[in-house]
Amino acid sequence: MTDADAAAPRPIPLPTSRRAGQVSFRFYWAHHFPAPPDWTVPSPVRRPYATLWLVLRGELQIQTPGGPRLAGPGTLVAWPPDSDRRAANHTAESVILYTAAFDLRVWGDVDFFRLYRVPTLHHAPDFAPLAQPFSALVDELSVSEGAVSLEAEGWARVLVGRWLGRLEAAGELRPAADADERLTAVLAAVEADLTAAWSLQRLADMMRLSKVRMREVFVRGVGLPPMRYIALRRLARARSLLADTELTCAEIAERCGFHDPGYFSRTFHRTVGMQPLAYRERARFRPEQE
């Protein structure tokens, strides 16, 4: 192994565009935006969601972690949640861009940007495949008066999927600097088998850490203690099965790692706010057609 090989980030089992079923998505808004001469983003600006820009015409100065850089036509600018956003148009012409806001979650609960290091700027010489869903998305929102319709969310998914696919193909989608590959391996194992008898000791053994140290790594990487995270993933799977299958509550409890149906019902009610069967009825409710 060369020194370069040793320094390169090792692959970790994170879902990417090729495993999109493990990435959940929520779309908020999109705009076609002209940034006039001398326009600047007030400093600092932070938002709790991710934002993606596509520059169509003109040139913006973007503040990146490595310093200011120019973003011209075909440049994608990605702002992670809660990041400082600094941009300015120092030219004499308006800069035309698309912008969209969204959340990305891995395995239901983990912020995508906690696990991936996404480049602030990515240049796409052929940006028509990205401009097309952006345009359709903005058009659909204008028709729906800003309401997020199913069609709008569909176009937003196409847009984000193509963006991630390009980053992945270019080798620019990498583990975040503080992403612990032992943790991500455990998260993938939990998601693959929610029925397993997961315990703090088993998780610590898999990560080759003490239980105290394992919990610290888990909370820093996921934002939740390990057993709380597993319980929420099991309940998320239960909600899906209640809505989409005819399985009984006992069968769903077993498939989600709750081997006592009574405990499953009590936990579901305490967390979701209603009994499992009531949730199923509400999830399947469809208003009568006129």
Side-chain angles (χ1 to χ4, degrees), residues 33-261:
F33 178 66
D38 297 325
W39 172 86
T40 62
V41 173
S43 176
V45 170
R46 289 174 176 256
R47 297 288 184 266
Y49 42 71
T51 309
L52 185 66
W53 295 1
L54 174 62
V55 180
L56 300 175
R57 190 182 73 200
E59 193 173 71
L60 288 176
Q61 180 176 286
I62 305 294
Q63 184 65 39
T64 73
R69 291 178 57 189
L70 295 178
T75 300
L76 286 156
V77 184
W79 304 104
D82 298 315
S83 61
D84 285 341
R85 306 175 186 210
R86 305 188 185 199
N89 177 10
H90 295 309
T91 72
E93 303 292 335
S94 290
V95 178
I96 307 301
L97 63 147
Y98 284 123
T99 175
F102 55 90
D103 278 334
L104 278 177
R105 300 278 170 175
V106 180
W107 298 304
D109 298 283
V110 186
D111 182 7
F112 184 91
F113 294 89
R114 277 179 178 257
L115 300 182
Y116 281 113
R117 186 180 66 208
V118 176
T120 305
L121 300 185
H122 172 78
H123 185 65
D126 174 22
F127 60 91
L130 295 162
Q132 184 259 341
F134 247 131
S135 175
L137 175 57
V138 171
D139 288 346
E140 173 61 23
L141 289 174
S142 67
V143 171
S144 63
E145 298 181 343
V148 180
S149 64
L150 289 176
E151 186 170 353
E153 182 162 322
W155 282 116
R157 288 177 180 273
V158 170
L159 169 65
V160 172
R162 289 181 181 176
W163 165 59
L164 293 179
R166 288 192 177 222
L167 294 181
E168 191 175 7
E172 295 186 11
L173 195 60
R174 298 178 181 178
D178 58 350
D180 191 308
E181 64 183 48
R182 297 167 298 184
L183 173 61
T184 55
V186 164
L187 293 176
V190 168
E191 194 67 21
D193 188 7
L194 287 172
T195 66
W198 295 106
S199 66
L200 293 177
Q201 188 61 58
R202 181 178 179 183
L203 295 170
D205 290 345
M206 288 182 67
M207 295 176 67
R208 298 182 181 180
L209 296 171
S210 69
K211 287 192 288 187
V212 171
R213 177 61 178 148
M214 178 275 297
R215 188 183 188 281
E216 291 174 351
V217 171
F218 217 101
V219 171
R220 185 177 66 247
V222 176
L224 292 168
M227 301 314 294
R228 175 63 175 165
Y229 172 83
I230 292 172
L232 290 176
R233 293 306 303 139
R234 286 171 167 167
L235 289 169
R237 180 73 56 81
R239 291 197 300 270
S240 177
L241 293 174
L242 284 164
D244 300 330
T245 76
E246 300 298 332
L247 295 172
T248 67
C249 285
E251 291 170 329
I252 289 173
E254 188 67 26
R255 292 195 182 195
C256 295
F258 295 95
H259 303 300
D260 178 350

